[in-house]
């Protein structure tokens, strides 16, 4: 079973920030938080990952709470092309193996 | 780089038929993976490989076989197709050796078993 909990769906207005929450209350000290998204049944796409510090890249920002039991993915200026299912995944880094995908959050960006 | 490529894109099989789903990556990645995704669900790992000649089972390996004779190729074999294997199949690859363990996915193969 997935070790994360996400809301099944969210809406966001185009141009506004999309904040996608994820709970991972049983995360271990050596587990990273990864985010992937899947646009309209294409293959999933890596977005960002982090251990305990906040992270930012050209796609998004990742905010991890101090106790690491939850995190938020932020898309700063959502566009229609960001409409997708977003998956939050926790795993130990650099050990390969499976990504455990839960149900994810279906984000709809509306004009 | 083409990344991860999969063939065919679509296929319809009859119960009991067999087929091989092809997957090739040109990024010199050591790890490769096969996932399946049923409608409205997340992906589930079928098999994975840590390098040529080495494979291991994932969450849902029953009814499938794999081989990894080269770094680039990781075919998935269905021997006796069943309706329960109707799904979208994704191949992925990643490089483990420092840096983020990011998996790159192919476009998928949509398989229907009737």
């Amino acid at each position: 079973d997935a070790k994360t909990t996400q809301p099944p769906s969210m809406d966001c207005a185009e141009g506004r920030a999309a904040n996608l929450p994820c709970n991972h209350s049983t995360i271990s000290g050596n587990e990273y938080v990864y985010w992937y998204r899947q646009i309209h049944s294409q293959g999933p796409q890596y977005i960002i990952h982090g251990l305990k510090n906040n992270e930012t890249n050209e796609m998004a920002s990742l905010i991890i709470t101090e106790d690491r039991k939850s995190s938020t993915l932020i898309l700063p200026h959502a566009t229609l092309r960001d409409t997708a299912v977003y998956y939050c995944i926790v795993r130990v880094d650099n050990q390969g193996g499976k990504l455990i995908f839960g149900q994810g959050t279906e984000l709809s960006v509306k004009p | 780089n083409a990344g991860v490529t999969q063939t065919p894109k679509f296929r319809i099989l009859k119960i009991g038929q067999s087929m091989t789903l092809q997957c090739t990556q040109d990024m010199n990645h050591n790890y490769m993976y096969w996932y399946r995704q049923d409608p409205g669900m997340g992906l589930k790992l079928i098999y994975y490989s840590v390098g040529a000649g080495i494979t291991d089972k994932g969450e849902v390996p029953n009814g499938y076989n794999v081989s990894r004779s080269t770094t680039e190729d990781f075919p998935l074999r269905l021997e006796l197709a069943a309706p329960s294997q109707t799904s979208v199949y994704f191949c992925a690859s990643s490089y483990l050796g420092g840096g983020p363990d990011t998996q790159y996915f192919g476009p998928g193969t949509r398989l229907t078993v009737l």
Side-chain angles (χ1 to χ4, degrees):
Chain A
D1 290 338
K3 297 172 64 175
T4 62
T5 303
Q6 300 177 251
S9 63
M10 294 181 64
D11 290 339
C12 178
E14 188 178 20
R16 304 297 293 270
N19 297 284
L20 290 87
C22 179
N23 287 321
H24 30 80
S25 58
T26 60
I27 192 169
S28 302
N30 61 345
E31 286 184 312
Y32 285 70
V33 179
Y34 275 76
W35 283 83
Y36 282 75
R37 73 179 182 184
Q38 188 174 24
I39 297 173
H40 190 53
S41 296
Q42 297 176 20
Q45 175 190 24
Y46 166 82
I47 302 173
I48 198 168
H49 79 294
L51 182 62
K52 51 185 174 182
N53 297 323
N54 298 337
E55 302 288 345
T56 296
N57 63 19
E58 64 278 5
M59 290 182 68
S61 295
L62 174 60
I63 308 298
I64 302 174
T65 58
E66 192 168 344
D67 63 8
R68 302 209 324 122
K69 293 186 176 182
S70 66
S71 60
T72 301
L73 178 74
I74 301 172
L75 307 178
H77 305 286
T79 71
L80 299 179
R81 288 177 293 179
D82 291 322
T83 293
V85 178
Y86 287 77
Y87 296 100
C88 170
I89 300 165
V90 296
R91 61 182 303 220
V92 177
D93 213 359
N94 273 307
Q95 290 191 4
K98 56 188 174 184
L99 290 173
I100 300 178
F101 286 83
Q103 299 285 82
T105 295
E106 186 168 5
L107 176 68
S108 296
V109 181
K110 300 181 184 299
Chain B
N1 289 345
V4 179
T5 57
Q6 294 183 236
T7 57
K9 287 187 170 55
F10 303 93
R11 183 73 185 268
I12 298 175
L13 284 181
K14 294 183 179 178
I15 294 172
Q17 286 186 318
S18 62
M19 76 165 293
T20 299
L21 284 67
Q22 301 291 346
C23 175
T24 300
Q25 55 91 9
D26 63 357
M27 297 174 282
N28 201 31
H29 285 170
N30 46 3
Y31 277 66
M32 295 187 74
Y33 315 81
W34 274 105
Y35 294 86
R36 60 175 286 173
Q37 184 175 33
D38 298 333
M41 307 295 287
L43 283 71
K44 292 188 182 297
L45 184 70
I46 305 171
Y47 271 96
Y48 69 101
S49 168
V50 305
I54 306 170
T55 64
D56 206 350
K57 297 178 180 179
E59 300 172 81
V60 289
N62 291 343
Y64 307 94
N65 284 300
V66 293
S67 60
R68 182 105 180 264
S69 56
T70 67
T71 299
E72 295 79 18
D73 300 307
F74 190 40
L76 178 71
R77 178 84 176 162
L78 282 70
E79 291 294 350
L80 292 170
S84 60
Q85 293 177 306
T86 294
S87 191
V88 181
Y89 292 84
F90 291 102
C91 179
S93 71
S94 66
Y95 181 74
L96 268 70
D101 177 12
T102 302
Q103 292 190 16
Y104 295 85
F105 286 79
T109 293
R110 282 156 180 75
L111 176 67
T112 301
V113 182
L114 300 174

